[in-house]
Amino acid sequence: MAPVCDLDPGAPHGKTVLGLRVVAWYDRAVDEWRVFDDACPHRLAPLSEGRIDDKGRLQCVYHGWCFDGRGSCQFIPQAPALGPPVHKNSKACVASYPSVVQNNILWFYPRADEEHQDILQRKRPPFIPEIDDPSFVTVYGVRDLPYGYDVLVENLMDPAHVPYAHKGLMGKLRKKEDPGRVEFDVEGGGPVKMKIAEADIAGFLSEQDNSGYFRYVAPCTFYGSPLPKEEKGQV
C-alpha cells in the first residue's frame, strides 16, 4: 500500500492498487493500520475523502456514517436512536482487507472474503532484513506508473537496456569484454556476464562478475546488490 512514513495517522489515504480502489486509515482502538474498499456502502462516496471522527472511527464525508476497524458500521446519524438498529445490517458494512505493517511498509492482501481473513498468519509479505537493519540507510520512493508491476520488474531485471534507454544518465559505461568484436557503439552496450546460481518457479539468483548479485522472488520482489549474498545475510 505505502511506506508508513508517508501516511498521516490522522487522516484516511486513498490509492488504487492492482485495480482496486482502497483506503488506508489508522485505527486508534488497536493501534493498527486498516485497509478498506474506498467506497461507503451507502452511496459509494470515497471514504478517503472522509475523516477520523472523535471516537477514532472512519467517517464518511457524505452522510457521516462511521465504521470500526472491522468494517462494521457503528453509527448512522440519520437513524432514529429508538428505531431499528439499521447500522447492524450486513449491507451497511464496508469490505476490510487483511493488512499488516512489515519493514515499515503497509501491506494488504487483496481479498476481503471470510476465507482469507487469516491469510497473513499463513502467508506473510516479502521480508527484506536490510530495511530493519540500522546499519543500512533506507530510502523509500513511490511512483504511480501507467502499467503493471510485471512490466516494471522485467525492466529492472534487464541490464542490457540501460546504456540506451538511460543514455547520458548513468555516467560513462565501460566497454564490455567481447573477444572478436570489432564494432563498439558510443553507448557502451555489449554482452553482460552473469551466472544463474539458482532458478525455479519461485524465482532466481544471478551472481554477477563484479561479485554482486540479482535475486528475483516471484511475483514482484527484486533485489540488486553490489555485495556477495553471503555478506548481506541472504538465504
Side-chain angles (χ1 to χ4, degrees), residues 4-232:
V4 172
C5 61
D6 288 351
L7 301 175
D8 177 0
H13 302 266
K15 184 174 286 191
T16 299
V17 182
L18 298 176
L20 296 172
R21 291 178 56 242
V22 293
V23 56
W25 66 285
Y26 192 69
D27 183 1
R28 298 201 308 261
V30 292
D31 292 327
E32 292 180 359
W33 284 95
R34 305 291 194 180
V35 179
F36 287 1
D37 268 341
D38 193 11
C40 179
H42 178 210
R43 298 295 300 275
L44 303 182
L47 291 170
S48 58
E49 297 293 328
R51 60 185 68 87
I52 310 301
D53 76 353
D54 58 351
K55 293 181 174 60
R57 303 171 299 193
L58 180 61
Q59 183 184 68
C60 179
V61 71
Y62 200 5
H63 291 91
W65 287 30
C66 296
F67 304 91
D68 66 12
R70 297 169 300 170
S72 299
C73 184
Q74 297 297 304
F75 181 53
I76 297 177
Q78 297 80 16
L82 299 180
V86 292
H87 66 281
K88 295 184 178 181
N89 190 302
S90 61
K91 293 183 179 180
C93 296
V94 61
S96 175
Y97 295 98
S99 58
V100 66
V101 173
Q102 180 172 286
N103 286 144
N104 297 312
I105 298 170
L106 175 60
W107 303 80
F108 77 97
Y109 194 81
R111 297 288 185 275
D113 47 288
E114 187 64 31
E115 67 177 289
H116 290 105
Q117 288 306 301
D118 66 343
I119 187 67
L120 294 175
Q121 280 70 54
R122 295 180 277 120
K123 183 177 182 180
R124 301 288 290 186
F127 177 67
I128 303 172
E130 291 83 2
I131 293 180
D132 292 342
D133 186 338
S135 67
F136 284 80
V137 175
T138 300
V139 178
Y140 295 100
V142 178
R143 293 182 65 187
D144 290 323
L145 300 170
Y147 46 79
Y149 72 88
D150 50 344
V151 176
L152 178 60
V153 171
E154 182 183 43
N155 171 265
L156 292 172
M157 293 189 295
D158 174 19
H161 82 279
V162 172
Y164 304 98
H166 304 285
K167 182 178 180 179
L169 298 178
M170 308 296 289
K172 185 175 178 58
L173 299 173
R174 64 181 179 84
K175 292 184 172 62
K176 307 294 190 300
E177 295 181 11
D178 187 19
R181 174 176 293 224
V182 296
E183 181 179 352
F184 295 89
D185 56 29
V186 296
E187 289 81 10
V192 178
K193 291 183 179 181
M194 61 176 58
K195 175 185 177 182
I196 303 299
E198 303 170 13
D200 56 31
I201 193 171
F204 68 81
L205 171 65
S206 172
E207 297 175 344
Q208 306 299 300
D209 60 358
N210 64 352
S211 297
Y213 72 94
F214 293 135
R215 179 184 287 277
Y216 167 62
V217 180
C220 60
T221 306
F222 181 67
Y223 301 79
S225 173
L227 302 174
K229 64 181 187 304
E230 291 79 10
E231 296 184 27
K232 298 287 289 287

